[in-house]
Amino acid sequence: QLEELPPEFGRFSSLTSLKVNGNRLTVLPRSISALSRLTHLSLAENYLTQVPGELGHMLMLSVCDLSRQSGGEGHGPPFLLKDLPVSMRKLRALRELRLSYNNFQEVPSSIFPSAQDPGMTGLRVLALDHNPLKRVDDDLAYCGNMERLLLHNTHINSVNASIRHMYMLKELWISDTRI
């Protein structure tokens, strides 16, 4: 199992898909931002505690899976990842973001627009299931293209009115919550 990706990894500038699931990665090299053609990035089942801001430079990224970032048996806390860098607001092409089985207590603010960046308004799938998520932010309404919102097995106790602006929503998973 890989414990790190070498910095030279950024030299694969033609790479469009990268899947390094089920390894022991604790950090990503900054050179990952050189993978400017990457559309699919899957880092599920690793030991990441944070995502480098350089991920926000991968403007062609359409699918990103950061699910199950845990220390594993005997390797620290069960769920490590709890936030995303604000630079990810630049990822307008992102259509699917999987953050299942982590330590998110709120919807990451990097999903929403700011004065400088558009936010992930093109998201069609957002998976935040199996997180200690306490509430769904009103700003989620900015994700008007959302088709699948997975919030099951969280600590939310209500779905706010902003969800009514998600006209494209086809699937809402809220089982095993406090609703």
Side-chain angles (χ1 to χ4, degrees):
Q1 291 180 322
L2 290 174
E3 293 188 11
E4 65 180 47
L5 294 176
E8 298 82 20
F9 212 76
R11 292 185 186 162
F12 299 114
S13 59
S14 296
L15 207 61
T16 59
S17 183
L18 176 61
K19 184 176 181 179
V20 285
N21 296 351
N23 283 287
R24 294 178 180 226
L25 300 176
T26 57
V27 66
L28 296 175
R30 291 180 176 207
S31 63
I32 198 164
S33 66
L35 304 177
S36 59
R37 294 183 183 181
L38 207 64
T39 59
H40 290 74
L41 177 62
S42 188
L43 296 162
E45 299 176 16
N46 278 288
Y47 302 163
L48 298 174
T49 57
Q50 60 184 359
V51 176
E54 287 77 11
L55 222 60
H57 300 292
M58 303 171 86
L59 301 179
M60 294 182 71
L61 199 61
S62 65
V63 176
C64 184
D65 188 351
L66 295 165
S67 299
R68 295 182 184 265
Q69 299 302 317
S70 65
E73 261 185 67
H75 294 285
F79 303 115
L80 303 172
L81 192 61
K82 60 184 177 182
D83 203 6
L84 296 177
V86 293
S87 64
M88 287 184 72
R89 277 191 176 123
K90 298 175 185 172
L91 301 180
R92 285 192 295 195
L94 197 63
R95 300 295 179 253
E96 184 173 326
L97 179 60
R98 297 198 170 273
L99 301 170
S100 306
Y101 290 94
N102 280 302
N103 199 21
F104 288 92
Q105 294 185 19
E106 56 187 40
V107 178
S109 62
S110 57
I111 291 174
F112 311 125
S114 70
Q116 297 84 19
D117 297 309
M120 299 179 197
T121 54
L123 273 182
R124 292 191 177 116
V125 177
L126 177 59
L128 279 164
D129 56 285
H130 296 88
N131 275 282
L133 192 68
K134 294 180 178 152
R135 64 184 178 86
V136 177
D137 199 296
D138 287 337
D139 289 338
L140 207 53
Y142 285 111
C143 299
N145 295 313
M146 188 77 65
E147 295 176 4
R148 294 181 72 207
L149 182 57
L150 309 179
L151 301 170
H152 55 288
N153 291 90
T154 62
H155 298 169
I156 62 170
N157 57 17
S158 67
V159 177
N160 61 29
S162 69
I163 203 160
R164 71 174 178 242
H165 299 291
M166 297 178 152
Y167 302 112
M168 304 297 288
L169 194 62
K170 295 176 183 170
E171 293 181 43
L172 174 63
W173 293 22
I174 53 174
S175 60
D176 295 316
T177 61
R178 296 179 179 174
I179 296 178

Short mmCIF file of all heavy atoms in Angstrom, two decimals, residues 95-142:
data_model
loop_
_atom_site.label_atom_id
_atom_site.label_comp_id
_atom_site.label_asym_id
_atom_site.label_seq_id
_atom_site.Cartn_x
_atom_site.Cartn_y
_atom_site.Cartn_z
N ARG A 95 -18.99 17.85 -10.78
CA ARG A 95 -20.37 17.36 -10.85
C ARG A 95 -20.71 16.40 -9.71
O ARG A 95 -21.85 16.27 -9.33
CB ARG A 95 -20.63 16.65 -12.19
CG ARG A 95 -20.44 17.52 -13.41
CD ARG A 95 -21.46 18.65 -13.44
NE ARG A 95 -21.28 19.51 -14.58
CZ ARG A 95 -20.79 20.76 -14.52
NH1 ARG A 95 -20.42 21.27 -13.37
NH2 ARG A 95 -20.68 21.48 -15.60
N GLU A 96 -19.68 15.74 -9.20
CA GLU A 96 -19.92 14.74 -8.15
C GLU A 96 -18.84 14.87 -7.08
O GLU A 96 -17.66 14.81 -7.38
CB GLU A 96 -19.88 13.34 -8.78
CG GLU A 96 -20.20 12.23 -7.83
CD GLU A 96 -20.31 10.88 -8.53
OE1 GLU A 96 -20.77 10.84 -9.70
OE2 GLU A 96 -19.93 9.88 -7.91
N LEU A 97 -19.29 15.04 -5.84
CA LEU A 97 -18.38 15.16 -4.70
C LEU A 97 -18.82 14.17 -3.64
O LEU A 97 -19.93 14.27 -3.10
CB LEU A 97 -18.39 16.59 -4.15
CG LEU A 97 -17.50 16.86 -2.95
CD1 LEU A 97 -16.03 16.58 -3.26
CD2 LEU A 97 -17.67 18.30 -2.48
N ARG A 98 -17.97 13.21 -3.34
CA ARG A 98 -18.27 12.18 -2.35
C ARG A 98 -17.41 12.39 -1.12
O ARG A 98 -16.19 12.30 -1.19
CB ARG A 98 -18.06 10.79 -2.96
CG ARG A 98 -19.00 10.54 -4.11
CD ARG A 98 -19.14 9.08 -4.45
NE ARG A 98 -20.23 8.89 -5.39
CZ ARG A 98 -21.49 8.72 -5.05
NH1 ARG A 98 -21.84 8.68 -3.79
NH2 ARG A 98 -22.43 8.56 -5.96
N LEU A 99 -18.08 12.65 0.00
CA LEU A 99 -17.42 12.91 1.27
C LEU A 99 -17.94 11.97 2.36
O LEU A 99 -17.85 12.27 3.55
CB LEU A 99 -17.63 14.37 1.69
CG LEU A 99 -17.13 15.43 0.71
CD1 LEU A 99 -17.60 16.82 1.11
CD2 LEU A 99 -15.61 15.38 0.61
N SER A 100 -18.50 10.86 1.99
CA SER A 100 -19.11 9.92 2.93
C SER A 100 -18.09 9.38 3.93
O SER A 100 -16.90 9.28 3.63
CB SER A 100 -19.70 8.73 2.16
OG SER A 100 -20.60 9.17 1.18
N TYR A 101 -18.59 9.00 5.11
CA TYR A 101 -17.77 8.38 6.15
C TYR A 101 -16.55 9.23 6.51
O TYR A 101 -15.41 8.78 6.43
CB TYR A 101 -17.31 6.98 5.74
CG TYR A 101 -18.41 5.96 5.69
CD1 TYR A 101 -19.07 5.71 4.50
CD2 TYR A 101 -18.78 5.25 6.82
CE1 TYR A 101 -20.09 4.77 4.44
CE2 TYR A 101 -19.79 4.31 6.77
CZ TYR A 101 -20.44 4.06 5.58
OH TYR A 101 -21.44 3.13 5.52
N ASN A 102 -16.79 10.46 6.88
CA ASN A 102 -15.73 11.36 7.34
C ASN A 102 -16.18 12.04 8.62
O ASN A 102 -17.04 11.51 9.34
CB ASN A 102 -15.37 12.36 6.24
CG ASN A 102 -14.45 11.76 5.20
OD1 ASN A 102 -13.37 11.29 5.50
ND2 ASN A 102 -14.89 11.77 3.95
N ASN A 103 -15.63 13.20 8.90
CA ASN A 103 -15.94 13.90 10.15
C ASN A 103 -16.51 15.30 9.91
O ASN A 103 -16.25 16.22 10.67
CB ASN A 103 -14.68 13.97 11.02
CG ASN A 103 -14.98 14.23 12.47
OD1 ASN A 103 -16.09 13.99 12.94
ND2 ASN A 103 -14.01 14.74 13.21
N PHE A 104 -17.29 15.47 8.85
CA PHE A 104 -17.89 16.78 8.53
C PHE A 104 -19.06 17.03 9.46
O PHE A 104 -20.01 16.26 9.49
CB PHE A 104 -18.35 16.82 7.07
CG PHE A 104 -17.22 16.90 6.09
CD1 PHE A 104 -16.67 15.74 5.56
CD2 PHE A 104 -16.69 18.11 5.72
CE1 PHE A 104 -15.62 15.79 4.66
CE2 PHE A 104 -15.63 18.18 4.82
CZ PHE A 104 -15.09 17.02 4.29
N GLN A 105 -18.99 18.14 10.20
CA GLN A 105 -20.09 18.52 11.08
C GLN A 105 -21.00 19.55 10.43
O GLN A 105 -22.09 19.80 10.90
CB GLN A 105 -19.55 19.04 12.40
CG GLN A 105 -18.85 17.94 13.17
CD GLN A 105 -18.40 18.36 14.54
OE1 GLN A 105 -18.87 19.34 15.10
NE2 GLN A 105 -17.48 17.61 15.10
N GLU A 106 -20.52 20.13 9.34
CA GLU A 106 -21.34 21.06 8.55
C GLU A 106 -20.97 20.90 7.09
O GLU A 106 -19.92 20.35 6.76
CB GLU A 106 -21.16 22.49 9.02
CG GLU A 106 -19.74 22.98 9.02
CD GLU A 106 -19.62 24.35 9.67
OE1 GLU A 106 -20.28 24.61 10.68
OE2 GLU A 106 -18.85 25.16 9.13
N VAL A 107 -21.86 21.37 6.22
CA VAL A 107 -21.59 21.32 4.79
C VAL A 107 -20.39 22.22 4.53
O VAL A 107 -20.37 23.37 4.97
CB VAL A 107 -22.82 21.79 3.99
CG1 VAL A 107 -22.52 21.78 2.51
CG2 VAL A 107 -24.03 20.91 4.31
N PRO A 108 -19.35 21.73 3.84
CA PRO A 108 -18.15 22.55 3.61
C PRO A 108 -18.49 23.86 2.88
O PRO A 108 -19.18 23.85 1.87
CB PRO A 108 -17.27 21.66 2.74
CG PRO A 108 -17.75 20.28 2.97
CD PRO A 108 -19.21 20.39 3.27
N SER A 109 -18.00 24.98 3.41
CA SER A 109 -18.30 26.29 2.82
C SER A 109 -17.71 26.44 1.43
O SER A 109 -18.17 27.27 0.65
CB SER A 109 -17.79 27.41 3.73
OG SER A 109 -16.39 27.32 3.87
N SER A 110 -16.72 25.63 1.08
CA SER A 110 -16.11 25.73 -0.24
C SER A 110 -17.08 25.33 -1.36
O SER A 110 -16.82 25.59 -2.53
CB SER A 110 -14.85 24.88 -0.32
OG SER A 110 -15.14 23.55 0.01
N ILE A 111 -18.19 24.71 -1.01
CA ILE A 111 -19.19 24.35 -2.01
C ILE A 111 -19.93 25.61 -2.49
O ILE A 111 -20.32 25.71 -3.64
CB ILE A 111 -20.19 23.32 -1.43
CG1 ILE A 111 -19.46 22.00 -1.21
CG2 ILE A 111 -21.39 23.15 -2.32
CD1 ILE A 111 -20.29 20.94 -0.51
N PHE A 112 -20.07 26.59 -1.62
CA PHE A 112 -20.89 27.75 -1.90
C PHE A 112 -20.10 28.89 -2.54
O PHE A 112 -18.90 29.02 -2.32
CB PHE A 112 -21.54 28.25 -0.61
CG PHE A 112 -22.20 27.14 0.17
CD1 PHE A 112 -21.86 26.91 1.48
CD2 PHE A 112 -23.13 26.31 -0.43
CE1 PHE A 112 -22.45 25.89 2.20
CE2 PHE A 112 -23.72 25.28 0.28
CZ PHE A 112 -23.38 25.07 1.60
N PRO A 113 -20.76 29.73 -3.31
CA PRO A 113 -20.07 30.85 -3.95
C PRO A 113 -19.59 31.90 -2.94
O PRO A 113 -20.11 32.00 -1.84
CB PRO A 113 -21.11 31.46 -4.88
CG PRO A 113 -22.38 30.78 -4.62
CD PRO A 113 -22.16 29.66 -3.66
N SER A 114 -18.59 32.65 -3.36
CA SER A 114 -18.13 33.81 -2.59
C SER A 114 -18.08 34.98 -3.56
O SER A 114 -18.39 34.84 -4.74
CB SER A 114 -16.74 33.54 -2.00
OG SER A 114 -15.77 33.53 -3.03
N ALA A 115 -17.64 36.14 -3.08
CA ALA A 115 -17.55 37.31 -3.95
C ALA A 115 -16.55 37.09 -5.09
O ALA A 115 -16.72 37.63 -6.17
CB ALA A 115 -17.14 38.53 -3.12
N GLN A 116 -15.51 36.27 -4.86
CA GLN A 116 -14.47 36.06 -5.86
C GLN A 116 -14.65 34.79 -6.69
O GLN A 116 -14.20 34.73 -7.82
CB GLN A 116 -13.08 35.98 -5.19
CG GLN A 116 -12.65 37.23 -4.48
CD GLN A 116 -13.21 37.32 -3.06
OE1 GLN A 116 -13.62 36.33 -2.49
NE2 GLN A 116 -13.26 38.53 -2.53
N ASP A 117 -15.26 33.77 -6.13
CA ASP A 117 -15.33 32.48 -6.80
C ASP A 117 -16.76 31.98 -6.90
O ASP A 117 -17.58 32.23 -6.02
CB ASP A 117 -14.49 31.45 -6.03
CG ASP A 117 -13.02 31.83 -6.00
OD1 ASP A 117 -12.47 32.10 -7.07
OD2 ASP A 117 -12.43 31.85 -4.90
N PRO A 118 -17.06 31.24 -7.99
CA PRO A 118 -18.43 30.82 -8.25
C PRO A 118 -18.97 29.72 -7.33
O PRO A 118 -20.16 29.54 -7.22
CB PRO A 118 -18.37 30.32 -9.69
CG PRO A 118 -16.96 29.87 -9.86
CD PRO A 118 -16.14 30.80 -9.02
N GLY A 119 -18.10 28.97 -6.69
CA GLY A 119 -18.56 27.84 -5.89
C GLY A 119 -18.81 26.63 -6.77
O GLY A 119 -18.68 26.68 -8.00
N MET A 120 -19.20 25.55 -6.15
CA MET A 120 -19.44 24.30 -6.87
C MET A 120 -20.90 24.22 -7.31
O MET A 120 -21.61 23.26 -7.04
CB MET A 120 -19.09 23.11 -5.98
CG MET A 120 -17.66 23.07 -5.54
SD MET A 120 -17.39 21.62 -4.48
CE MET A 120 -15.84 22.07 -3.72
N THR A 121 -21.35 25.25 -7.97
CA THR A 121 -22.77 25.34 -8.33
C THR A 121 -23.19 24.32 -9.37
O THR A 121 -24.38 24.12 -9.59
CB THR A 121 -23.10 26.76 -8.82
OG1 THR A 121 -22.19 27.10 -9.87
CG2 THR A 121 -22.96 27.77 -7.69
N GLY A 122 -22.24 23.65 -10.03
CA GLY A 122 -22.58 22.63 -11.01
C GLY A 122 -22.75 21.25 -10.41
O GLY A 122 -23.03 20.29 -11.12
N LEU A 123 -22.61 21.12 -9.08
CA LEU A 123 -22.74 19.81 -8.44
C LEU A 123 -24.08 19.15 -8.75
O LEU A 123 -25.12 19.79 -8.64
CB LEU A 123 -22.61 19.93 -6.92
CG LEU A 123 -21.23 19.90 -6.31
CD1 LEU A 123 -21.33 20.00 -4.79
CD2 LEU A 123 -20.45 18.67 -6.70
N ARG A 124 -24.00 17.89 -9.11
CA ARG A 124 -25.21 17.10 -9.33
C ARG A 124 -25.38 16.04 -8.26
O ARG A 124 -26.48 15.62 -7.96
CB ARG A 124 -25.17 16.46 -10.71
CG ARG A 124 -25.28 17.50 -11.81
CD ARG A 124 -25.49 16.86 -13.17
NE ARG A 124 -25.66 17.89 -14.16
CZ ARG A 124 -24.84 18.10 -15.16
NH1 ARG A 124 -23.79 17.32 -15.32
NH2 ARG A 124 -25.06 19.05 -16.02
N VAL A 125 -24.24 15.60 -7.69
CA VAL A 125 -24.26 14.59 -6.63
C VAL A 125 -23.38 15.08 -5.49
O VAL A 125 -22.22 15.42 -5.69
CB VAL A 125 -23.73 13.23 -7.14
CG1 VAL A 125 -23.70 12.21 -6.01
CG2 VAL A 125 -24.55 12.72 -8.31
N LEU A 126 -23.98 15.13 -4.29
CA LEU A 126 -23.23 15.46 -3.08
C LEU A 126 -23.54 14.38 -2.05
O LEU A 126 -24.69 14.20 -1.65
CB LEU A 126 -23.62 16.83 -2.54
CG LEU A 126 -22.95 17.26 -1.23
CD1 LEU A 126 -21.43 17.28 -1.36
CD2 LEU A 126 -23.48 18.60 -0.77
N ALA A 127 -22.50 13.66 -1.65
CA ALA A 127 -22.65 12.59 -0.65
C ALA A 127 -21.97 13.02 0.64
O ALA A 127 -20.76 13.13 0.70
CB ALA A 127 -22.04 11.30 -1.17
N LEU A 128 -22.79 13.29 1.65
CA LEU A 128 -22.29 13.65 2.99
C LEU A 128 -22.81 12.65 4.02
O LEU A 128 -22.81 12.93 5.21
CB LEU A 128 -22.74 15.06 3.36
CG LEU A 128 -21.89 16.19 2.77
CD1 LEU A 128 -22.61 17.52 2.85
CD2 LEU A 128 -20.56 16.27 3.48
N ASP A 129 -23.23 11.49 3.57
CA ASP A 129 -23.77 10.48 4.47
C ASP A 129 -22.69 9.95 5.40
O ASP A 129 -21.50 10.06 5.12
CB ASP A 129 -24.39 9.33 3.67
CG ASP A 129 -23.42 8.72 2.68
OD1 ASP A 129 -23.16 9.35 1.64
OD2 ASP A 129 -22.92 7.61 2.95
N HIS A 130 -23.14 9.41 6.53
CA HIS A 130 -22.24 8.82 7.53
C HIS A 130 -21.20 9.83 8.03
O HIS A 130 -20.03 9.52 8.12
CB HIS A 130 -21.57 7.56 6.99
CG HIS A 130 -22.56 6.46 6.72
ND1 HIS A 130 -23.19 6.34 5.49
CD2 HIS A 130 -23.02 5.46 7.49
CE1 HIS A 130 -23.99 5.30 5.53
NE2 HIS A 130 -23.92 4.74 6.73
N ASN A 131 -21.65 11.04 8.30
CA ASN A 131 -20.84 12.10 8.90
C ASN A 131 -21.62 12.62 10.11
O ASN A 131 -22.84 12.49 10.16
CB ASN A 131 -20.65 13.27 7.91
CG ASN A 131 -19.50 13.04 6.96
OD1 ASN A 131 -18.35 13.22 7.31
ND2 ASN A 131 -19.82 12.66 5.73
N PRO A 132 -20.95 13.25 11.07
CA PRO A 132 -21.69 13.83 12.20
C PRO A 132 -22.31 15.19 11.84
O PRO A 132 -22.35 16.11 12.64
CB PRO A 132 -20.61 13.97 13.28
CG PRO A 132 -19.34 14.12 12.54
CD PRO A 132 -19.50 13.31 11.28
N LEU A 133 -22.79 15.31 10.63
CA LEU A 133 -23.39 16.52 10.10
C LEU A 133 -24.58 16.94 10.96
O LEU A 133 -25.47 16.13 11.23
CB LEU A 133 -23.83 16.26 8.66
CG LEU A 133 -24.24 17.41 7.79
CD1 LEU A 133 -23.05 18.30 7.49
CD2 LEU A 133 -24.85 16.89 6.49
N LYS A 134 -24.58 18.21 11.39
CA LYS A 134 -25.63 18.68 12.30
C LYS A 134 -26.75 19.45 11.62
O LYS A 134 -27.87 19.50 12.11
CB LYS A 134 -25.01 19.54 13.39
CG LYS A 134 -24.10 18.74 14.29
CD LYS A 134 -23.48 19.58 15.36
CE LYS A 134 -22.62 18.67 16.23
NZ LYS A 134 -21.52 19.33 16.85
N ARG A 135 -26.43 20.08 10.47
CA ARG A 135 -27.46 20.86 9.79
C ARG A 135 -27.12 20.99 8.31
O ARG A 135 -26.00 20.78 7.90
CB ARG A 135 -27.62 22.23 10.41
CG ARG A 135 -26.42 23.11 10.30
CD ARG A 135 -26.63 24.45 11.04
NE ARG A 135 -25.45 25.25 10.96
CZ ARG A 135 -25.16 26.07 9.97
NH1 ARG A 135 -26.00 26.19 8.97
NH2 ARG A 135 -24.06 26.77 9.96
N VAL A 136 -28.13 21.35 7.55
CA VAL A 136 -27.96 21.61 6.13
C VAL A 136 -28.06 23.12 5.95
O VAL A 136 -29.04 23.74 6.34
CB VAL A 136 -29.05 20.89 5.31
CG1 VAL A 136 -28.91 21.22 3.84
CG2 VAL A 136 -28.97 19.39 5.54
N ASP A 137 -27.03 23.71 5.39
CA ASP A 137 -26.93 25.15 5.23
C ASP A 137 -27.91 25.68 4.19
O ASP A 137 -28.13 25.04 3.16
CB ASP A 137 -25.49 25.50 4.81
CG ASP A 137 -25.15 26.94 5.05
OD1 ASP A 137 -25.77 27.80 4.41
OD2 ASP A 137 -24.26 27.21 5.87
N ASP A 138 -28.47 26.86 4.43
CA ASP A 138 -29.37 27.51 3.47
C ASP A 138 -28.71 27.71 2.11
O ASP A 138 -29.37 27.69 1.08
CB ASP A 138 -29.84 28.87 3.98
CG ASP A 138 -30.85 28.74 5.12
OD1 ASP A 138 -31.50 27.68 5.21
OD2 ASP A 138 -30.99 29.69 5.89
N ASP A 139 -27.40 27.93 2.11
CA ASP A 139 -26.68 28.19 0.87
C ASP A 139 -26.67 27.01 -0.08
O ASP A 139 -26.29 27.15 -1.24
CB ASP A 139 -25.24 28.62 1.16
CG ASP A 139 -25.15 30.00 1.77
OD1 ASP A 139 -26.10 30.79 1.58
OD2 ASP A 139 -24.13 30.31 2.41
N LEU A 140 -27.11 25.85 0.38
CA LEU A 140 -27.17 24.69 -0.49
C LEU A 140 -28.09 24.96 -1.68
O LEU A 140 -27.98 24.34 -2.72
CB LEU A 140 -27.62 23.46 0.29
CG LEU A 140 -27.17 22.11 -0.23
CD1 LEU A 140 -25.67 22.04 -0.43
CD2 LEU A 140 -27.61 21.01 0.70
N ALA A 141 -28.97 25.94 -1.55
CA ALA A 141 -29.88 26.31 -2.64
C ALA A 141 -29.11 26.82 -3.86
O ALA A 141 -29.64 26.80 -4.98
CB ALA A 141 -30.86 27.37 -2.16
N TYR A 142 -27.86 27.28 -3.67
CA TYR A 142 -27.04 27.70 -4.81
C TYR A 142 -26.70 26.54 -5.73
O TYR A 142 -26.29 26.74 -6.86
CB TYR A 142 -25.74 28.35 -4.33
CG TYR A 142 -25.91 29.74 -3.79
CD1 TYR A 142 -25.74 30.00 -2.44
CD2 TYR A 142 -26.25 30.79 -4.64
CE1 TYR A 142 -25.89 31.28 -1.95
CE2 TYR A 142 -26.41 32.07 -4.14
CZ TYR A 142 -26.22 32.31 -2.80
OH TYR A 142 -26.39 33.57 -2.31
#
